[in-house]
Amino acid sequence: MNILLSIVLSVGVFGLCGFVFKMNLIFSVVIAALCYFAFSFLLNKDPKPAPKPLYEPGSQEEMMADAEEDVRTLEKDAARIQGEVSETTASLAKKGNRILAYLQAHPEQISASRKFATYYLDMAGRFADKYADLDETGLKTEEVVNAKKEITKALKLLDNAFDAQYTKLLSGDVMSVEADVKVLQQMVNMEEPGHEIKLKG
């Protein structure tokens, strides 16, 4: 297809040279031939491959990278905001970092944490960003004050949701510890009947 197009274009150039511009026949043929090779090279040149994305769309790597970006947004917004909301935002960033660090160490848990990484963290970043923007306007109108109150409420809810997520992730470790203690208790009872291990607290 590209060869045929090159021939057609070259014939067109020959026609322009010979019949429109009244050039010498041999000169027209030479120009047409040069154009043919030029068109062939340009039309058959392999297109530059598209750059390979850093992460596959929807992959765990992309999800974790986006989650880390959301945590960085929270850290920046905590510095932009004043007072109690700044503390809540900083708390969200700190807890977000802990959860992501846990997921990095336990990648088998990442799939089960997709809602946290793609929704809760994203919403926390958006709310904190919006609050910081409203705060920097300096406006005290009823609309701005009410919006900031609603965002404050949302950030506190998310702070509790982060705690629940971390507790859920750690539940497997807690159950493992309890099972280990039971095994230890059984072993001690076998060695020293009547003696029970009691953990303080």
Coordinates of all heavy atoms in Angstrom, one line a residue, residues 22-106:
K22 N 6.9 23.0 -17.0 CA 7.5 22.9 -18.3 C 9.0 22.6 -18.2 O 9.9 23.1 -18.9 CB 7.4 24.2 -19.1 CG 5.9 24.6 -19.3 CD 5.1 23.6 -20.1 CE 3.7 24.1 -20.2 NZ 2.8 23.1 -21.0
M23 N 9.4 21.7 -17.2 CA 10.8 21.3 -17.1 C 11.3 20.3 -18.1 O 10.4 19.6 -18.7 CB 11.1 20.8 -15.7 CG 10.9 21.8 -14.6 SD 11.3 21.1 -12.9 CE 11.0 22.5 -11.9
N24 N 12.6 20.1 -18.3 CA 13.2 19.2 -19.2 C 12.7 17.8 -18.8 O 12.6 17.5 -17.6 CB 14.7 19.3 -19.1 CG 15.4 18.3 -20.0 OD1 15.5 17.1 -19.7 ND2 15.7 18.7 -21.2
L25 N 12.4 16.9 -19.8 CA 11.9 15.6 -19.5 C 12.8 14.8 -18.6 O 12.4 14.1 -17.6 CB 11.7 14.8 -20.8 CG 11.2 13.4 -20.7 CD1 9.8 13.4 -20.0 CD2 11.1 12.7 -22.1
I26 N 14.1 14.8 -18.9 CA 15.1 14.0 -18.1 C 15.1 14.5 -16.7 O 15.1 13.8 -15.7 CB 16.5 14.0 -18.7 CG1 16.4 13.3 -20.1 CG2 17.5 13.4 -17.8 CD1 17.8 13.4 -20.9
F27 N 15.1 15.9 -16.5 CA 15.2 16.5 -15.2 C 13.9 16.1 -14.4 O 14.0 15.9 -13.2 CB 15.3 18.0 -15.4 CG 15.6 18.7 -14.1 CD1 16.8 18.5 -13.4 CD2 14.7 19.7 -13.6 CE1 17.0 19.2 -12.2 CE2 15.0 20.3 -12.4 CZ 16.1 20.1 -11.7
S28 N 12.8 16.1 -15.1 CA 11.5 15.7 -14.4 C 11.5 14.3 -13.9 O 11.1 14.0 -12.8 CB 10.3 15.9 -15.4 OG 10.2 17.3 -15.8
V29 N 12.1 13.4 -14.8 CA 12.2 12.0 -14.4 C 13.1 11.8 -13.2 O 12.8 11.0 -12.2 CB 12.8 11.1 -15.6 CG1 13.1 9.7 -15.1 CG2 11.8 11.1 -16.7
V30 N 14.3 12.6 -13.2 CA 15.2 12.5 -12.0 C 14.5 12.9 -10.7 O 14.6 12.3 -9.7 CB 16.5 13.3 -12.3 CG1 17.3 13.4 -11.1 CG2 17.2 12.7 -13.4
I31 N 13.8 14.1 -10.8 CA 13.1 14.6 -9.6 C 12.1 13.6 -9.1 O 11.9 13.3 -7.9 CB 12.5 16.0 -9.9 CG1 13.6 17.0 -10.1 CG2 11.6 16.4 -8.8 CD1 13.1 18.4 -10.5
A32 N 11.3 13.0 -10.1 CA 10.3 12.1 -9.7 C 10.9 10.8 -9.0 O 10.3 10.3 -8.1 CB 9.5 11.7 -10.9
A33 N 12.0 10.4 -9.6 CA 12.7 9.2 -9.0 C 13.1 9.5 -7.6 O 13.0 8.7 -6.6 CB 13.8 8.8 -9.9
L34 N 13.7 10.7 -7.4 CA 14.2 11.1 -6.0 C 13.0 11.2 -5.1 O 13.1 10.7 -3.9 CB 14.9 12.4 -6.1 CG 16.3 12.4 -6.8 CD1 16.8 13.8 -7.0 CD2 17.3 11.5 -6.1
C35 N 11.9 11.7 -5.6 CA 10.7 11.8 -4.7 C 10.2 10.4 -4.4 O 9.7 10.2 -3.2 CB 9.6 12.6 -5.4 SG 10.0 14.4 -5.5
Y36 N 10.3 9.5 -5.3 CA 9.8 8.1 -5.0 C 10.6 7.5 -3.9 O 10.0 7.0 -2.9 CB 9.9 7.3 -6.3 CG 9.7 5.8 -6.0 CD1 8.4 5.3 -5.8 CD2 10.8 4.9 -5.8 CE1 8.2 4.0 -5.6 CE2 10.6 3.6 -5.6 CZ 9.3 3.1 -5.4 OH 9.1 1.8 -5.1
F37 N 11.9 7.6 -3.9 CA 12.7 7.1 -2.8 C 12.4 7.8 -1.5 O 12.4 7.2 -0.4 CB 14.2 7.1 -3.2 CG 14.6 6.2 -4.3 CD1 15.0 6.6 -5.5 CD2 14.5 4.8 -4.1 CE1 15.4 5.8 -6.5 CE2 14.9 3.9 -5.1 CZ 15.3 4.4 -6.3
A38 N 12.2 9.1 -1.6 CA 11.9 9.9 -0.4 C 10.6 9.5 0.2 O 10.5 9.3 1.4 CB 12.0 11.4 -0.7
F39 N 9.6 9.4 -0.7 CA 8.3 9.0 -0.2 C 8.3 7.6 0.4 O 7.7 7.3 1.4 CB 7.2 9.1 -1.3 CG 6.9 10.5 -1.7 CD1 6.7 10.8 -3.0 CD2 6.8 11.5 -0.8 CE1 6.4 12.1 -3.4 CE2 6.5 12.8 -1.1 CZ 6.3 13.1 -2.5
S40 N 9.0 6.7 -0.3 CA 9.1 5.3 0.2 C 9.7 5.2 1.6 O 9.3 4.4 2.5 CB 9.9 4.4 -0.8 OG 9.3 4.4 -2.0
F41 N 10.8 6.0 1.8 CA 11.5 6.0 3.1 C 10.6 6.5 4.2 O 10.4 6.0 5.3 CB 12.7 6.9 3.0 CG 13.4 7.0 4.3 CD1 14.2 6.0 4.8 CD2 13.3 8.2 5.0 CE1 14.8 6.2 6.1 CE2 13.9 8.4 6.2 CZ 14.7 7.4 6.8
L42 N 9.9 7.6 3.9 CA 9.0 8.3 4.9 C 7.8 7.4 5.2 O 7.4 7.3 6.4 CB 8.6 9.7 4.4 CG 9.7 10.7 4.3 CD1 9.1 12.0 3.7 CD2 10.3 11.0 5.7
L43 N 7.2 6.8 4.2 CA 6.0 6.1 4.4 C 6.2 4.7 5.0 O 5.4 4.2 5.7 CB 5.2 5.9 3.1 CG 4.7 7.2 2.5 CD1 4.1 6.9 1.1 CD2 3.6 7.8 3.4
N44 N 7.4 4.2 4.8 CA 7.7 2.8 5.4 C 8.5 2.9 6.7 O 8.9 1.9 7.2 CB 8.5 2.0 4.3 CG 7.6 1.6 3.2 OD1 6.7 0.9 3.4 ND2 8.0 2.0 2.0
K45 N 8.8 4.1 7.1 CA 9.6 4.3 8.3 C 8.7 3.8 9.5 O 7.6 4.1 9.6 CB 9.9 5.7 8.5 CG 10.9 6.0 9.7 CD 11.2 7.4 9.8 CE 12.2 7.7 11.0 NZ 12.6 9.1 11.1
D46 N 9.3 2.9 10.4 CA 8.6 2.4 11.5 C 8.3 3.5 12.5 O 9.1 4.4 12.8 CB 9.5 1.4 12.3 CG 9.7 0.1 11.4 OD1 8.8 -0.2 10.6 OD2 10.8 -0.5 11.6
P47 N 7.0 3.6 12.9 CA 6.6 4.6 13.8 C 7.3 4.4 15.2 O 7.6 3.3 15.6 CB 5.1 4.4 14.0 CG 4.9 2.9 13.6 CD 5.9 2.6 12.6
K48 N 7.6 5.5 15.8 CA 8.3 5.5 17.1 C 7.4 4.8 18.1 O 6.2 5.2 18.3 CB 8.6 6.9 17.5 CG 9.5 7.0 18.8 CD 9.9 8.4 19.1 CE 10.8 8.4 20.4 NZ 11.1 9.8 20.7
P49 N 7.9 3.8 18.8 CA 7.0 3.1 19.7 C 6.6 4.0 20.9 O 7.4 4.8 21.3 CB 7.9 1.9 20.2 CG 9.3 2.4 20.0 CD 9.3 3.2 18.7
A50 N 5.4 3.8 21.3 CA 4.9 4.6 22.4 C 5.7 4.2 23.7 O 6.1 3.1 23.9 CB 3.4 4.4 22.6
P51 N 6.0 5.2 24.5 CA 6.7 4.9 25.8 C 6.0 4.0 26.6 O 4.7 4.1 26.8 CB 6.9 6.3 26.4 CG 5.8 7.1 25.8 CD 5.6 6.6 24.4
K52 N 6.7 3.0 27.2 CA 6.0 2.0 28.0 C 5.6 2.7 29.3 O 6.4 3.3 30.0 CB 7.0 0.9 28.3 CG 6.4 -0.3 29.0 CD 7.4 -1.4 29.2 CE 6.8 -2.6 30.0 NZ 7.7 -3.7 30.2
P53 N 4.4 2.5 29.8 CA 3.9 3.1 31.0 C 4.7 2.5 32.2 O 5.1 1.3 32.2 CB 2.4 2.7 31.1 CG 2.3 1.5 30.2 CD 3.3 1.7 29.1
L54 N 4.9 3.3 33.2 CA 5.6 2.9 34.4 C 4.9 1.7 35.1 O 5.6 0.8 35.5 CB 5.8 4.1 35.4 CG 6.7 3.9 36.6 CD1 8.1 3.5 36.1 CD2 6.7 5.1 37.5
Y55 N 3.6 1.8 35.1 CA 2.8 0.8 35.7 C 1.7 0.4 34.8 O 1.2 1.2 34.0 CB 2.2 1.2 37.0 CG 3.2 1.7 38.0 CD1 3.2 3.1 38.4 CD2 4.1 0.9 38.6 CE1 4.2 3.5 39.3 CE2 5.1 1.3 39.5 CZ 5.1 2.7 39.9 OH 6.0 3.1 40.8
E56 N 1.3 -0.9 34.8 CA 0.1 -1.3 34.0 C -1.1 -0.7 34.7 O -1.3 -0.7 35.9 CB 0.0 -2.9 34.1 CG 1.1 -3.6 33.3 CD 1.0 -3.3 31.8 OE1 -0.1 -3.1 31.3 OE2 2.1 -3.2 31.2
P57 N -2.0 -0.2 33.8 CA -3.3 0.4 34.3 C -4.0 -0.6 35.2 O -4.3 -1.7 34.8 CB -4.1 0.8 33.1 CG -3.0 0.9 32.0 CD -2.0 -0.1 32.4
G58 N -4.4 -0.1 36.4 CA -5.2 -1.0 37.3 C -4.4 -2.0 38.1 O -4.9 -2.7 38.9
S59 N -3.1 -2.0 37.9 CA -2.2 -2.9 38.6 C -2.0 -2.5 40.1 O -2.3 -1.4 40.5 CB -0.8 -3.0 38.0 OG -0.1 -1.8 38.1
Q60 N -1.6 -3.5 40.9 CA -1.3 -3.2 42.3 C -0.2 -2.1 42.4 O -0.3 -1.3 43.3 CB -0.9 -4.4 43.0 CG -2.0 -5.4 43.2 CD -1.6 -6.6 44.1 OE1 -0.5 -6.8 44.4 NE2 -2.6 -7.4 44.4
E61 N 0.8 -2.2 41.5 CA 1.9 -1.2 41.6 C 1.3 0.2 41.4 O 1.7 1.2 42.1 CB 2.9 -1.5 40.5 CG 3.7 -2.7 40.8 CD 3.0 -4.0 40.4 OE1 1.9 -3.9 39.8 OE2 3.6 -5.1 40.6
E62 N 0.4 0.4 40.4 CA -0.2 1.7 40.1 C -1.0 2.1 41.3 O -1.0 3.3 41.6 CB -1.0 1.6 38.8 CG -1.6 3.0 38.4 CD -2.5 2.9 37.2 OE1 -3.4 2.0 37.2 OE2 -2.4 3.8 36.3
M63 N -1.8 1.2 41.8 CA -2.7 1.5 43.0 C -1.8 2.0 44.1 O -2.2 3.0 44.8 CB -3.5 0.3 43.4 CG -4.5 0.6 44.5 SD -5.4 -0.9 45.0 CE -4.1 -1.8 45.8
M64 N -0.7 1.4 44.4 CA 0.1 1.7 45.6 C 0.8 3.1 45.3 O 0.9 3.9 46.2 CB 1.1 0.7 45.9 CG 0.5 -0.6 46.4 SD -0.2 -0.4 48.0 CE 1.3 -0.2 49.0
A65 N 1.2 3.3 44.1 CA 1.9 4.6 43.7 C 0.9 5.7 43.9 O 1.2 6.8 44.4 CB 2.4 4.5 42.3
D66 N -0.4 5.5 43.4 CA -1.4 6.6 43.6 C -1.7 6.8 45.1 O -1.9 8.0 45.5 CB -2.7 6.2 42.9 CG -2.6 6.2 41.4 OD1 -1.6 6.8 40.9 OD2 -3.4 5.6 40.7
A67 N -1.7 5.7 45.9 CA -2.0 5.9 47.3 C -0.9 6.6 48.0 O -1.1 7.5 48.9 CB -2.1 4.5 47.9
E68 N 0.4 6.4 47.6 CA 1.5 7.1 48.2 C 1.4 8.6 47.8 O 1.8 9.5 48.6 CB 2.8 6.5 47.7 CG 3.1 5.2 48.3 CD 4.3 4.5 47.6 OE1 4.9 5.1 46.7 OE2 4.6 3.3 48.0
E69 N 1.0 8.9 46.6 CA 0.8 10.3 46.2 C -0.3 11.0 47.0 O -0.2 12.2 47.4 CB 0.4 10.4 44.7 CG 0.3 11.8 44.2 CD 1.6 12.5 44.2 OE1 2.7 11.9 44.1 OE2 1.5 13.8 44.4
D70 N -1.4 10.2 47.4 CA -2.4 10.8 48.2 C -1.9 11.1 49.6 O -2.3 12.1 50.2 CB -3.6 9.8 48.3 CG -4.4 9.7 47.0 OD1 -4.4 10.7 46.3 OD2 -4.9 8.6 46.8
V71 N -1.0 10.3 50.1 CA -0.4 10.5 51.5 C 0.4 11.7 51.4 O 0.4 12.6 52.4 CB 0.4 9.3 51.9 CG1 1.2 9.6 53.2 CG2 -0.5 8.1 52.2
R72 N 1.2 11.9 50.4 CA 2.0 13.1 50.2 C 1.2 14.4 50.2 O 1.5 15.4 50.7 CB 2.9 13.0 49.0 CG 4.1 12.1 49.2 CD 5.1 12.2 48.1 NE 4.6 11.7 46.8 CZ 4.8 10.5 46.4 NH1 5.4 9.6 47.2 NH2 4.3 10.1 45.2
T73 N 0.0 14.3 49.5 CA -0.9 15.4 49.5 C -1.4 15.7 50.9 O -1.5 16.9 51.2 CB -2.2 15.0 48.6 OG1 -1.7 14.8 47.3 CG2 -3.2 16.2 48.6
L74 N -1.7 14.7 51.7 CA -2.2 15.0 53.0 C -1.1 15.6 53.9 O -1.3 16.5 54.7 CB -2.6 13.6 53.7 CG -3.9 13.0 53.2 CD1 -4.0 11.6 53.7 CD2 -5.1 13.8 53.7
E75 N 0.2 15.2 53.7 CA 1.3 15.8 54.4 C 1.4 17.3 54.1 O 1.7 18.1 54.9 CB 2.6 15.1 54.1 CG 2.6 13.6 54.7 CD 3.8 12.8 54.2 OE1 4.4 13.2 53.2 OE2 4.1 11.8 54.9
K76 N 1.3 17.6 52.8 CA 1.4 19.0 52.3 C 0.3 19.8 52.9 O 0.5 21.0 53.3 CB 1.4 19.1 50.8 CG 2.7 18.5 50.2 CD 2.6 18.5 48.6 CE 3.8 17.8 48.0 NZ 3.7 17.7 46.5
D77 N -1.0 19.3 52.8 CA -2.1 20.0 53.3 C -2.1 20.2 54.8 O -2.6 21.3 55.3 CB -3.4 19.3 52.9 CG -3.7 19.4 51.4 OD1 -3.3 20.4 50.8 OD2 -4.3 18.5 50.9
A78 N -1.5 19.3 55.5 CA -1.4 19.5 57.0 C -0.6 20.7 57.3 O -0.8 21.4 58.3 CB -0.8 18.2 57.6
A79 N 0.4 21.0 56.5 CA 1.2 22.2 56.7 C 0.5 23.5 56.3 O 0.9 24.6 56.8 CB 2.5 22.1 55.9
R80 N -0.5 23.4 55.4 CA -1.2 24.5 54.9 C -2.3 24.9 55.8 O -2.7 26.1 55.9 CB -1.8 24.2 53.5 CG -0.8 24.0 52.4 CD -1.4 23.6 51.1 NE -2.4 24.5 50.6 CZ -3.4 24.2 49.8 NH1 -3.5 23.0 49.3 NH2 -4.2 25.1 49.3
I81 N -2.8 23.9 56.6 CA -4.0 24.2 57.4 C -3.6 24.5 58.9 O -2.6 24.0 59.4 CB -4.9 22.9 57.4 CG1 -5.4 22.6 56.0 CG2 -6.1 23.1 58.3 CD1 -6.0 21.3 55.8
Q82 N -4.4 25.2 59.6 CA -4.1 25.6 61.0 C -5.1 24.9 61.9 O -6.2 24.5 61.5 CB -4.3 27.1 61.2 CG -3.3 27.9 60.3 CD -1.9 27.7 60.6 OE1 -1.5 27.5 61.7 NE2 -1.1 27.6 59.5
G83 N -4.7 24.7 63.2 CA -5.6 24.2 64.2 C -5.9 22.7 64.2 O -5.1 21.9 63.7
E84 N -7.1 22.4 64.7 CA -7.4 21.0 64.9 C -7.5 20.2 63.6 O -7.1 19.0 63.6 CB -8.8 21.0 65.6 CG -9.3 19.5 65.8 CD -10.7 19.5 66.4 OE1 -11.3 20.6 66.6 OE2 -11.2 18.4 66.6
V85 N -7.9 20.9 62.5 CA -8.0 20.2 61.2 C -6.6 19.8 60.7 O -6.4 18.8 60.1 CB -8.8 21.0 60.2 CG1 -8.9 20.3 58.9 CG2 -10.2 21.4 60.7
S86 N -5.6 20.7 61.0 CA -4.3 20.3 60.7 C -3.8 19.1 61.4 O -3.1 18.2 60.8 CB -3.3 21.5 61.0 OG -2.0 21.2 60.8
E87 N -4.2 18.9 62.7 CA -3.8 17.8 63.4 C -4.5 16.5 62.9 O -3.9 15.4 62.8 CB -4.2 17.9 64.9 CG -3.4 19.1 65.6 CD -3.9 19.3 67.0 OE1 -4.8 18.5 67.5 OE2 -3.4 20.2 67.7
T88 N -5.8 16.6 62.5 CA -6.5 15.5 61.9 C -5.9 15.1 60.6 O -5.7 13.9 60.3 CB -8.0 15.8 61.7 OG1 -8.5 16.3 62.9 CG2 -8.7 14.6 61.2
T89 N -5.5 16.1 59.8 CA -4.9 15.8 58.5 C -3.5 15.1 58.6 O -3.2 14.2 57.9 CB -4.8 17.1 57.6 OG1 -6.0 17.7 57.5 CG2 -4.2 16.8 56.2
A90 N -2.8 15.6 59.6 CA -1.4 15.0 59.9 C -1.6 13.6 60.4 O -0.8 12.7 60.0 CB -0.7 15.9 60.9
S91 N -2.7 13.4 61.2 CA -2.9 12.0 61.7 C -3.3 11.1 60.6 O -2.8 9.9 60.5 CB -4.1 12.1 62.7 OG -4.5 10.8 63.1
L92 N -4.1 11.6 59.6 CA -4.4 10.7 58.4 C -3.2 10.4 57.6 O -3.0 9.2 57.2 CB -5.4 11.5 57.6 CG -6.9 11.6 58.1 CD1 -7.6 12.7 57.3 CD2 -7.6 10.3 58.0
A93 N -2.3 11.4 57.4 CA -1.1 11.1 56.7 C -0.2 10.1 57.4 O 0.4 9.1 56.8 CB -0.3 12.4 56.5
K94 N -0.1 10.2 58.7 CA 0.7 9.3 59.5 C 0.2 7.9 59.5 O 0.9 6.9 59.2 CB 0.8 9.8 61.0 CG 1.8 9.0 61.8 CD 1.8 9.6 63.2 CE 2.8 8.8 64.1 NZ 2.9 9.5 65.5
K95 N -1.1 7.7 59.6 CA -1.8 6.4 59.6 C -1.7 5.8 58.2 O -1.5 4.6 58.0 CB -3.2 6.5 60.1 CG -3.3 6.9 61.6 CD -4.8 7.1 62.0 CE -4.8 7.5 63.5 NZ -6.2 7.8 63.9
G96 N -1.9 6.7 57.2 CA -1.8 6.2 55.8 C -0.4 5.7 55.5 O -0.3 4.6 54.9
N97 N 0.6 6.3 56.0 CA 2.0 5.8 55.8 C 2.2 4.5 56.5 O 2.8 3.6 55.9 CB 3.0 6.8 56.3 CG 3.4 7.9 55.3 OD1 3.6 7.5 54.1 ND2 3.6 9.1 55.7
R98 N 1.6 4.3 57.7 CA 1.8 3.1 58.4 C 1.1 1.9 57.7 O 1.6 0.8 57.5 CB 1.2 3.2 59.8 CG 2.0 4.0 60.8 CD 1.3 4.1 62.1 NE 2.1 4.8 63.1 CZ 1.7 5.2 64.3 NH1 0.4 4.9 64.7 NH2 2.5 5.8 65.2
I99 N -0.1 2.2 57.2 CA -0.9 1.2 56.5 C -0.2 0.8 55.2 O 0.0 -0.4 54.9 CB -2.3 1.6 56.2 CG1 -3.1 1.8 57.5 CG2 -3.0 0.7 55.3 CD1 -4.5 2.4 57.4
L100 N 0.3 1.8 54.4 CA 1.0 1.5 53.2 C 2.3 0.7 53.4 O 2.7 -0.2 52.7 CB 1.3 2.8 52.4 CG 0.1 3.5 51.9 CD1 0.5 4.7 51.1 CD2 -0.8 2.6 51.0
A101 N 3.0 1.1 54.5 CA 4.2 0.3 54.9 C 3.9 -1.1 55.2 O 4.6 -2.0 54.8 CB 4.9 1.0 56.1
Y102 N 2.8 -1.3 55.9 CA 2.4 -2.7 56.2 C 2.0 -3.5 54.9 O 2.4 -4.6 54.8 CB 1.1 -2.7 57.1 CG 0.7 -4.0 57.6 CD1 1.2 -4.6 58.7 CD2 -0.3 -4.7 56.9 CE1 0.8 -5.9 59.2 CE2 -0.7 -6.0 57.3 CZ -0.2 -6.6 58.4 OH -0.6 -7.8 58.8
L103 N 1.3 -2.8 54.0 CA 1.0 -3.5 52.8 C 2.2 -3.8 51.9 O 2.2 -4.8 51.2 CB 0.0 -2.6 52.0 CG -1.4 -2.4 52.6 CD1 -2.2 -1.4 51.7 CD2 -2.1 -3.7 52.7
Q104 N 3.2 -2.9 52.0 CA 4.5 -3.2 51.3 C 5.1 -4.5 51.8 O 5.7 -5.3 51.1 CB 5.4 -2.0 51.3 CG 5.0 -0.8 50.6 CD 5.1 -0.9 49.1 OE1 5.5 -1.9 48.6 NE2 4.8 0.1 48.4
A105 N 5.0 -4.6 53.1 CA 5.6 -5.8 53.8 C 4.8 -7.0 53.7 O 5.3 -8.1 53.8 CB 5.9 -5.5 55.3
H106 N 3.5 -6.8 53.4 CA 2.5 -8.0 53.3 C 1.7 -7.8 52.0 O 0.5 -7.5 52.0 CB 1.6 -8.0 54.5 CG 2.3 -8.2 55.8 ND1 2.8 -7.1 56.5 CD2 2.6 -9.3 56.5 CE1 3.4 -7.6 57.6 NE2 3.2 -8.9 57.6

